[in-house]
Amino acid sequence: MTDKQTVLERARVYDENALGELYDEYAPLIYAYLYRRVQDARLAEDLTSEVFVRMLQAVQAKQFWHTSFRAWLYRVAHNLVVDHYRKQPPAPMVELDEQLVADQQDPESAVIEQLSRRGLWFAISRLTPEQQEVLALRFGQQLTAREVSQVVGKSVSAVEAIQHRALAALRRILNEGLNDGETNV
Amino acid sequence: MAKRTSEQLLEHCLQEALRTGDIEATLRRYPQVANRLRPLLEVALATNRLYADVPPPPNGLAMGRQRLLDVAARQRELAPATRTSIQNKERKPKMQLLLATRVISAILAVVIGTAAVGGGVTWAASDSLPGDVLYPVKLTGENLRLSLAPAPEQQVELALRFSDERMTEIETLVERGVLVPETVVAGLERHVFWAMNRAAWASEEEMPGLLERIVQRTQAQVQALEQLRAMTQEQNQAQLENALRVCQRAQEEALAGLGDPQAFRSRYQHRDSMPEDVTPPEPPTREPQNGGQGPQDQPGLCPGDCDQDRDRDQNRDQDQDHDQDRDHDQECDQDQNCDRQQDRDQQQDQDQGQNQEQSQQPDEDQGQEQNQEQNQEQNQEQNQERNQEQNQEQNQEQNQEQGQESGQPSDQDQGQPDQGQQPDQDQGQQEDPGQGQQQDPQRGQ
């Protein structure tokens, strides 16, 4: 994209090429983010489609994003996830990818060896939506804390605090699971 | 080196561990907290690896793309008019110049007949930037819309929207590597503090919501500016820092207002509403003072400066009154008939007091203004008649006394009536009602 602003303005008048260009650039990112949030590929793809339809509606309101178009899309995606789980609460256990579990090799340390993907997904699903959002953006989408702050509309220090609490909570849930034998694979 | 919080230390270690993948090497630099950070870094890296595996979308995202284009096609058929402004920007410069000429002509007509304001004239200029031909048209349109907003809620929302507009301009200019003019930052400042001023006039029920909106918007602006500052060139650093300071100050003040609404009201309803280190903004539009339709006659026309002008005018009038009293007292000291003059002054003060009491009544409608004017005229006539009667009596008494002594008339009375001074004072009072009626009619209290 040579001039993102120009493309966005063309999108405002429903220019097919501009809309296609935006979709091709951002849809994979949004899909990956949504998958990390819902752990369901089909649902993530449906929600991705919905994000861009909402973009089409919102793009008519000039400059609907403050900082970046990408950050705004992430925010819409997060809101869709929250809405989805409000209507349909998540199942207590996330889907298990046995192949990924079987592929687990060469862990970083003795503790990480004990962490199964299933147990980790389960632990993540027990975090607050806000904590899940920050972790997915920070570790899934590889955004910096500053970039995450733009998406969630909080300060950098607030994002760092959420991240700290999320990791501590994850650790605690995993330890509890290990002790109870519930999250072991 | 500033002391890091545990969150900041974790973030610092995370960045390094994610980059190198070596937790122990990272922790060796922080042996005191290694045991505490290690489990967090381990779970962070595990999460990082977990998130790396994303299965491909079942339909390759193709259905979503087609859906988007289908919806766009329907919207395009339904709203063909929306294409014009954007496409015009991409057409030849001649088209833009032609449009500018037409718009300027149209805006003159709009200024003359403000009833037509709000139409599509300024819409065409909505994408313009500082330096563009249409930019003044855009600003004029904004000012007129602010002046027409009926209540604090709409006024605050509009002011915040226009502050966002300034933010957009700053972002665009920075992205293009163009120097951000001071006027843009001043515009941002003006709109943000105008929103604060309007919020201060809102009802008790409305004000917290308005302040929360200001906090949210300024917070977003602060974040945007911080990001811009990190990526901008040296030439724009100063302007961005100014803008950042404005938004941070407004955010802090609005937050403080949520905690202490009364203090916020008293601060932002009056002339000291602007922070000391922030340049007081110019109002969006300025009418000549005392020109019949001054800003005080149009409460929604200009931001806090109107209040400042009112206070300033009130102070000036009070100062003038005090000066007149002081001069008058000095004259009285030299005047042989000071006692009688003081009696007259007392009578005038009573009249003035009545007028001032009337002037302090809220300006509910024009009928009261007319009544006040009529009362003032009556008071003025009564004062003149009273003074004439007193002078006649005084002259008669003195003539009788002097006639008894020398049989000649005295000249001392010729300068005493001071009738020329009284109308001036009354005229000064006539200006006061306008000052006393400056309470915001939008305020629901």
Side-chain angles (χ1 to χ4, degrees), chain A:
Chain A
M1 188 186 303
T2 54
D3 186 348
K4 191 171 295 180
Q5 195 66 29
T6 303
V7 173
L8 288 168
E9 293 198 348
R10 282 165 49 206
R12 284 185 65 206
V13 292
Y14 309 112
D15 183 291
E16 278 194 8
N17 292 331
L19 290 170
E21 194 173 334
L22 289 174
Y23 187 87
D24 292 342
E25 181 176 355
Y26 291 106
L29 287 175
I30 299 303
Y31 165 77
Y33 169 74
L34 286 166
Y35 176 79
R36 288 165 181 139
R37 294 297 307 278
V38 300
Q39 296 109 50
D40 180 334
R42 195 168 297 281
L43 175 60
E45 189 170 17
D46 289 346
L47 292 176
T48 301
S49 172
E50 187 61 29
V51 167
F52 282 86
V53 170
R54 291 198 180 188
M55 176 207 76
L56 198 60
Q57 296 164 351
V59 81
Q60 294 306 305
K62 185 174 170 292
Q63 293 298 338
F64 50 90
W65 61 92
H66 281 291
T67 53
S68 76
F69 180 65
R70 183 182 64 167
W72 184 84
L73 287 177
Y74 280 135
R75 193 63 195 167
V76 174
H78 168 75
N79 291 338
L80 280 175
V81 171
V82 173
D83 288 345
H84 172 75
Y85 282 135
R86 190 176 295 140
K87 296 172 187 169
Q88 183 180 337
M93 290 296 291
V94 295
E95 68 179 33
L96 173 64
D97 189 334
E98 296 290 352
Q99 184 59 42
L100 290 176
V101 175
D103 288 345
Q104 185 179 356
Q105 293 176 353
D106 191 21
E108 293 294 327
S109 68
V111 174
I112 295 180
E113 284 181 48
Q114 299 174 42
L115 302 178
S116 69
R117 291 177 182 275
R118 183 184 183 188
L120 194 49
W121 277 128
F122 173 74
I124 290 171
S125 70
R126 291 184 62 184
L127 300 177
T128 67
E130 186 180 56
Q131 289 172 338
Q132 290 184 46
E133 180 186 25
V134 167
L135 290 188
L137 292 170
R138 184 76 179 83
F139 302 116
Q141 307 303 115
Q142 305 293 319
L143 301 188
T144 64
R146 184 170 294 280
E147 290 169 330
V148 173
S149 74
Q150 292 164 10
V151 177
V152 301
K154 295 181 181 297
S155 67
V156 174
S157 58
V159 167
E160 289 172 349
I162 294 169
Q163 175 180 261
H164 187 278
R165 286 197 298 272
L167 291 175
L170 269 187
R171 186 70 203 175
R172 188 178 62 252
I173 295 167
L174 288 168
N175 283 340
E176 289 171 358
L178 287 173
N179 293 335
D180 297 341
E182 290 178 1
T183 57
N184 269 331
V185 178

Side-chain angles (χ1 to χ4, degrees), chain B residues 166-212:
Chain B
R166 298 291 87 75
M167 281 293 302
T168 303
E169 291 165 4
I170 290 172
E171 288 172 0
T172 306
L173 293 173
V174 168
E175 285 172 5
R176 294 182 182 179
V178 178
L179 184 66
V180 176
E182 287 182 10
T183 52
V184 180
V185 178
L188 171 69
E189 179 184 73
R190 181 171 63 235
H191 290 308
V192 167
F193 283 97
W194 175 226
M196 304 274 274
N197 178 279
R198 292 294 87 191
W201 285 107
S203 66
E204 287 182 5
E205 293 77 20
E206 280 183 335
M207 197 171 83
L210 296 178
L211 288 177
E212 284 176 5

Side-chain angles (χ1 to χ4, degrees), chain B residues 315-333 341-342 345 348-349 352 356 418-432:
Chain B
N315 291 337
R316 188 178 59 215
D317 290 337
Q318 289 172 359
D319 291 341
Q320 287 175 351
D321 290 340
H322 291 158
D323 291 339
Q324 287 175 354
D325 292 340
R326 194 164 47 244
D327 295 338
H328 190 61
D329 291 340
Q330 289 173 354
E331 289 172 8
C332 284
D333 290 338
Q341 187 66 48
Q342 285 176 345
D345 287 344
Q348 290 172 5
D349 289 342
Q352 288 177 4
Q356 285 174 349
D418 203 9
Q419 291 178 358
Q421 195 174 12
Q422 187 174 347
D424 290 340
Q425 290 174 346
D426 287 341
Q427 192 171 355
Q429 292 163 16
Q430 285 175 351
E431 293 175 3
D432 283 345

